[in-house]
Amino acid sequence: MSLSDDTLRKILVQIQTTAIQSQRAFQVTQQQASAKDRERRILQLTIDEINQIEEDVNLYKGVGKMFMHVPRKTMEAELKSQEKELSDDISGLAKKSKYLEKQFNDAQAQLRDISLGSYDRSANAFKTALSCLPTTSELSDADKTLKAQYEDYLKDAEANMRREFKVDHVTIPNDSGDVPWKRAMAMDPILIAEGKIQHSVCSKIGFPSHV
């Protein structure tokens, strides 16, 4: 059962919304993962520095505008605990990024499926999708990506529409002697002489006898 244009537009807008949301969430997740990875590297450098300090050296940590003395083992435990927490967060964000990336790719695949359907309806649907995007000055990176993809899909749909209605013409050179009707004309005298036909074959099928 074919979908109406209105239903197709609604489906396209829903897919577009999913694609935009997943792309934006993916970018935010990547930024969060990068920030936490920087924090983890700083912690790892701090742990390495502490390991190089002699055991009898006092260690302090900042508390507001003050510095408080902290036993070495306590500080090492705190830093390792923070490092593990950051590593767990980064691992969770990596899984979330993969999910969001798959969600975005699935939405893009659905858009490609639509573009391979009825070409004229696909073209109208992608025009509608482009009109739903913000103005050029307000486009986010995700919006720009979708805009470029919608424009590509629209071009493909319009190209397929033109190809669908294109009529191929076969041109036969004027001086060509090896064409079906000329071979038939050459047999006319023989067939008429044998009494098998009374009129030219070419005249019967609409070709002039002088061709």
Side-chain angles (χ1 to χ4, degrees), residues 5-31:
D5 289 345
D6 184 57
T7 301
L8 186 63
R9 279 194 293 270
K10 288 179 180 178
I11 292 174
L12 186 61
V13 169
Q14 180 60 46
I15 296 172
Q16 175 189 11
T17 301
T18 300
I20 290 174
Q21 289 175 345
S22 58
Q23 176 103 351
R24 288 175 177 169
F26 175 79
Q27 291 174 342
V28 171
T29 303
Q30 291 288 88
Q31 291 170 357

Side-chain angles (χ1 to χ4, degrees), residues 53-157:
I53 297 175
E54 295 181 1
E55 293 286 340
D56 59 348
V57 174
N58 292 328
L59 301 178
Y60 298 84
K61 74 174 183 178
V63 180
K65 295 182 179 180
M66 300 170 56
F67 289 94
M68 183 175 66
H69 175 260
V70 179
R72 184 187 186 99
K73 290 187 180 296
T74 301
M75 180 171 286
E76 287 177 344
E78 287 181 359
L79 291 174
K80 288 179 180 179
S81 175
Q82 292 175 22
E83 181 188 15
K84 183 180 182 304
E85 183 179 346
L86 285 170
S87 295
D88 291 341
D89 289 344
I90 292 169
S91 178
L93 289 169
K95 292 178 181 177
K96 184 178 180 181
S97 293
K98 287 182 179 179
Y99 168 76
L100 291 169
E101 186 176 19
K102 182 180 183 302
Q103 189 178 55
F104 176 76
N105 290 335
D106 288 345
Q108 294 302 93
Q110 290 174 330
L111 290 172
R112 285 193 293 271
D113 289 341
I114 292 176
S115 71
L116 295 174
S118 174
Y119 299 133
D120 56 339
R121 293 171 63 191
S122 294
N124 290 332
F126 285 116
K127 287 177 182 177
T128 301
L130 284 167
S131 68
C132 292
L133 290 172
T135 59
T136 303
S137 59
E138 299 174 349
L139 289 176
S140 65
D141 290 339
D143 293 332
K144 290 176 182 177
T145 299
L146 286 175
K147 182 175 183 292
Q149 290 169 339
Y150 290 162
E151 288 173 343
D152 288 340
Y153 292 149
L154 177 59
K155 288 178 183 177
D156 288 343

Side-chain angles (χ1 to χ4, degrees), residues 168-206:
D168 292 328
H169 297 278
V170 179
T171 303
I172 300 175
N174 292 331
D175 59 350
S176 176
D178 188 22
V179 290
W181 58 87
K182 288 195 175 183
R183 292 198 296 270
M185 286 171 57
M187 295 181 65
D188 279 354
I190 300 172
L191 295 174
I192 292 173
E194 293 178 351
K196 293 181 180 179
I197 61 172
Q198 295 181 348
H199 303 283
S200 169
V201 174
C202 288
S203 64
K204 289 287 187 181
I205 60 176

